[in-house]
Amino acid sequence: MLSRSAEDLFWMTRYMERAENTARILDVSNRMALLPSAEGSRSLHWAPALQIGPDPEAFYERYEKPDQRSVISFMALDRGNPSSIWCCIREARENARAERSKISTEMWESLNDTWLEVQNLDFERLEVWGYRKFFDWIKNRSHLFRGVTLGTLIQDDGFQFARLGAFFERADNTARILDVKYHVLLPSPGDIGGVVDYYQWGALLRSVSAFAAYRKVYRDAIRPSAVAEMLILNEDLPRSLHACHRAIGETLDDLCDGRKLECRRLAGEIHACLKFGRIDEVIEKGLHEFLNDFILRNNRLGSQIQQDFMMTDVVVVN
């Protein structure tokens, strides 16, 4: 298919997945800030959310401090923040509009209806709506779009590029959330193992819809090493790094169709590391170093995918 169409479909699903991920992060931050233990230190639960985005410094150019109003404004509604929910939904719709002939009517209507609801949304209207209701609505709209895509789009190359974008974005987001938890939310070793720590890890699992899955697999108290193992190496958890890159590899197999492209080799290297890795070795060598290396390699893969299929040489930055 045309490289431009491939790029539009790839980014259409990436932007919608990013909007959902941002809503998840804000929802968890809001829940944590409401805990009694957060009294007097609420900014500690809002500042880490900024670290997950691509340019946290951009926040401080327009806002004084990270509190509920400023962080939600920046990450949900700010027209100048390209990764805000508002901008992501707009860009997803624009990419879909460019490919109206290649997507289903139901896909277009789902995205267009979502955009019509948020295009004139400001903070005052969001407060009336309710933060949790809004975040849940964004997640539900993303789920609807994903289901409509799977249920109505013919599974040709266009479908594969759309699928590729969603898993690529999801893997990057999971790595960033886990990295921030280890190195921003726990600045002091004395915090580890306490009540607040338990709720933070529980919030992390909920942010990737993995709390019930963790209970089913481990059946014990929440342990940081077990959470890391589940989100990195468990191939059965839909949002784990392993599961995402297994799907990326399968999708690239279909798109490469036997051609030995560099993107397939890079994807194979990442998947092999996740498939055969052990969490004790990862933690021993440094979880931050592992996740940072994963994000860099994932971005390099994204750049290579664009070179191999979309004829562009752009480094993918989230």
Side-chain angles (χ1 to χ4, degrees):
M1 66 185 304
L2 294 176
S3 59
R4 181 61 186 178
S5 295
E7 186 172 22
D8 287 338
L9 294 170
F10 178 75
W11 279 99
M12 174 188 69
T13 51
R14 282 201 68 175
Y15 278 122
M16 202 60 194
E17 184 76 24
R18 185 176 299 183
E20 177 188 345
N21 290 332
T22 302
R24 288 175 177 274
I25 294 164
L26 291 174
D27 187 32
V28 170
S29 297
N30 188 52
R31 290 170 186 262
M32 291 300 301
L34 294 175
L35 291 174
S37 60
E39 190 68 34
S41 60
R42 299 194 189 282
S43 64
L44 294 177
H45 297 287
W46 289 108
L50 299 171
Q51 302 299 322
I52 296 172
D55 187 13
E57 296 303 319
F59 170 86
Y60 294 99
E61 295 174 2
R62 296 197 287 279
Y63 301 90
E64 292 184 1
K65 61 180 181 179
D67 55 21
Q68 182 186 64
R69 183 184 181 92
S70 62
V71 173
I72 291 179
S73 295
F74 179 71
M75 296 186 68
L77 303 175
D78 198 318
R79 275 66 165 166
N81 174 16
S83 291
S84 70
I85 293 174
W86 190 91
C87 287
C88 286
I89 293 174
R90 180 192 62 186
E91 291 303 316
R93 178 186 179 274
E94 287 302 303
N95 281 280
R97 186 169 64 87
E99 302 301 328
R100 284 289 300 274
S101 63
K102 293 183 174 61
I103 64 175
S104 67
T105 301
E106 292 84 357
M107 289 173 64
W108 167 252
E109 290 177 347
S110 172
L111 277 178
N112 193 50
D113 289 348
T114 304
W115 169 243
L116 292 175
E117 287 287 336
V118 302
Q119 63 175 334
N120 296 318
L121 187 65
D122 55 27
F123 193 83
E124 286 67 30
R125 293 178 182 175
L126 177 57
E127 284 186 307
V128 173
W129 192 338
Y131 301 137
R132 289 183 62 178
K133 288 183 179 179
F134 173 71
F135 299 144
D136 286 342
W137 182 80
I138 290 294
K139 289 185 282 185
N140 288 335
R141 296 304 298 184
S142 178
H143 296 163
L144 174 63
F145 178 68
R146 187 181 305 119
V148 166
T149 301
L150 290 172
T152 64
L153 187 61
I154 187 171
Q155 298 191 8
D156 56 5
D157 284 353
F159 172 83
Q160 299 298 346
F161 279 111
R163 184 172 185 258
L164 187 63
F167 282 111
F168 188 89
E169 183 70 28
R170 190 178 300 174
D172 182 89
N173 185 259
T174 298
R176 290 177 185 273
I177 289 176
L178 184 57
D179 190 33
V180 165
K181 168 57 191 173
Y182 259 90
H183 297 277
V184 177
L185 291 183
L186 286 180
S188 171
D191 294 332
I192 299 176
V195 174
V196 174
D197 186 47
Y198 171 85
Y199 282 112
Q200 287 178 348
W201 284 110
L204 171 65
L205 289 170
R206 288 187 175 91
S207 74
V208 292
S209 298
F211 188 82
Y214 179 92
R215 290 297 195 190
K216 183 177 181 180
V217 173
Y218 293 96
R219 300 179 184 277
D220 60 4
I222 298 177
R223 294 178 289 109
S225 61
V227 174
E229 180 179 44
M230 190 164 199
L231 297 186
I232 295 174
L233 303 178
N234 190 307
E235 64 177 328
D236 297 321
L237 182 70
R239 290 183 173 272
S240 74
L241 305 188
H242 187 176
C244 289
H245 267 274
R246 181 185 61 190
I248 289 172
E250 293 170 353
T251 304
L252 286 175
D253 281 339
D254 290 335
L255 291 171
C256 292
D257 194 24
R259 293 174 293 169
K260 296 182 178 180
L261 299 181
E262 177 65 10
C263 65
R264 185 64 189 92
R265 187 190 68 80
L266 293 176
E269 284 186 346
I270 298 174
H271 183 226
C273 177
L274 297 169
K275 182 177 181 179
F276 299 107
R278 297 178 58 179
I279 195 61
D280 54 343
E281 296 178 354
V282 169
I283 293 177
E284 182 180 353
K285 294 179 180 178
L287 182 63
H288 172 67
E289 288 73 18
F290 176 88
L291 293 171
N292 188 59
D293 179 65
F294 171 84
I295 292 170
L296 292 175
R297 294 171 71 185
N298 200 51
N299 286 345
R300 192 177 304 123
L301 171 61
S303 179
Q304 191 63 47
I305 288 172
Q306 294 198 203
Q307 290 183 54
D308 290 344
F309 292 109
M310 306 165 197
M311 308 305 175
T312 56
D313 187 9
V314 180
V315 176
V316 180
V317 177
N318 290 10

